[in-house]
Each structure stands twice: as structure tokens, then as C-alpha cells.
Amino acid sequence: MSFEQARDSMQRKRASGLLEALKRKVPSGSPVDAQGYFLKGLTLEFGVDGEVDFSGAIKCYRMASHLSRGPDSFPFLGIARVLMKQGPENHGAAFDYIKRASAANHTPEVDLAFATYYEMTEQGLDLAKHYYLKAAIKGRFAGFFGLAYALRRTGHNVQAVLVDVVRLFVGPMLFIVLGRTARSSFNGY
């Protein structure tokens, strides 16, 4: 099963079949299986027939990070995302994993993770706006949406409208140049 087939199965809410296939395909622990563990973590995080298993997802993401041959930030971002979903008491640990993801391979998705962290914690919206702007500059729509939302929350409604206008004009070009990558975000798969 390829990554695209697995993603389609998840989006069509056929996660139980996907999880069974991953259990059969991910037994050996070889470096080739890192992607399988990552997919299994996504499946457990976002739910199998409505049930989520955060501890199982974290275990799978950890295995994926150990089995990855090169610097890969996505398993660390998965762990951070799950920890943030578990509540404010885990935000410190989530921040540590976001920093590890940044050290492994700083992608625009890492900027979105920092922005989400700062938006959810006491650190304030100024740092969140900074990281959303960095992600938007690197062509991620989630950066534009997050920046506009943070600007509205801080009372900068005119600036938020300007960000939305820029997104509307730049959006088609981003899709032409980056394709599906422009839709990448921290909070989804």
C-alpha cells in the first residue's frame, strides 16, 4: 500500500481497514518500515471508526523517528501534535519535540507547529503571528489563515483583511508552483 493509497483510505474514513493492513505490513522494524509506522501513527491519532489512541500514536511516531534514515521532522511533529491534543499539561513536552523537529529539518510545517504552540500557550499571539508569517512566506495557506486569525484576535482587523486579500491573489500562483504542498499544515495529514 502506497502513501497516497493510505491517505485516500484515511480521508474516506476507511481507517479500520488501513490499520489492519498496516499491522500486517509493519512487523519487522526495518528502516523501510518508517513510513508504515508513521501512517499507523496517523491512523491511531485521527481515529479508527471514531476512536483515537494517542498513546499508540506516540509509540508509532517514535518508531518512525528511530527508523528514519535521514533527518525527518514529521514524526517529531506528529508526537508534538498528539501531546498538544492531550492538554495544556503536555505543552512543554510538545514544545521540546517541535524544537527537535526544527533541528532535524526545519520545514514550513515546523513554523506552523511553533505558531500553533504559541497560540495555545501563555507566550502570546505575537510569536504566533511571527511564525504564521514565516509559513505564509514559504507558501503555506495555513500560514495565511493563521496569521489573519491571530491579527483579528489582537484587534488588527485591517491587517487581517489585507492578509486575506494577498492570499486570494497569491493563492492560484502558489497552487501552480507548489501544488499540494501549499495545503500542508501542522494540524492535519
Side-chain angles (χ1 to χ4, degrees), residues 119 125 129 132 143-155 157 160 163-164:
E119 191 173 356
L125 291 173
K129 289 188 289 189
Y132 280 131
F144 285 103
F145 285 112
L147 179 58
Y149 178 71
L151 287 167
R152 283 186 182 87
R153 283 184 57 191
T154 57
N157 293 328
V163 169
D164 288 333

Side-chain angles (χ1 to χ4, degrees), residues 2-180:
S2 73
F3 182 74
E4 290 301 320
Q5 290 170 325
R7 178 191 237 164
D8 289 342
S9 292
M10 287 180 69
Q11 288 174 343
R12 291 191 181 119
K13 306 293 184 213
R14 290 185 290 197
S16 57
L18 172 64
L19 188 59
E20 289 303 316
L22 289 171
K23 283 180 182 174
R24 287 192 304 271
K25 284 202 143 202
V26 186
S28 69
S30 71
V32 176
D33 293 331
Q35 189 177 27
Y37 277 105
F38 184 76
L39 287 171
K40 188 175 177 184
L42 281 174
T43 305
L44 294 171
E45 176 188 355
F46 288 100
V48 177
D49 299 328
E51 289 187 38
V52 295
D53 179 7
F54 289 148
S55 62
I58 289 174
K59 288 177 188 175
C60 289
Y61 289 141
R62 283 192 178 130
M63 279 300 294
S65 71
H66 291 301
L67 295 173
S68 296
R69 289 193 174 167
D72 190 2
S73 60
F74 288 102
F76 294 126
L77 291 178
I79 295 169
R81 186 175 52 243
V82 171
L83 288 170
M84 289 172 74
K85 287 178 180 179
Q86 289 180 329
E89 64 277 0
N90 293 318
H91 285 174
F95 186 66
D96 292 338
Y97 278 102
I98 296 170
K99 289 191 292 189
R100 288 175 75 177
S102 178
N105 185 18
H106 194 93
T107 62
E109 289 76 16
V110 173
D111 291 327
L112 292 170
F114 277 122
T116 302
Y117 169 78
Y118 286 122
E119 191 173 356
M120 293 176 76
T121 62
E122 299 294 321
Q123 301 292 331
L125 291 173
D126 288 333
L127 284 170
K129 289 188 289 189
H130 169 75
Y131 283 104
Y132 280 131
L133 178 61
K134 284 178 71 171
I137 289 170
K138 294 176 185 173
R140 298 304 184 269
F141 279 107
F144 285 103
F145 285 112
L147 179 58
Y149 178 71
L151 287 167
R152 283 186 182 87
R153 283 184 57 191
T154 57
H156 298 97
N157 293 328
V158 174
Q159 290 176 338
V161 170
L162 289 174
V163 169
D164 288 333
V165 169
V166 168
R167 177 182 45 83
L168 289 173
F169 283 111
V170 175
M173 294 304 292
L174 288 175
F175 272 126
I176 291 170
V177 174
L178 298 175
R180 291 180 87 171

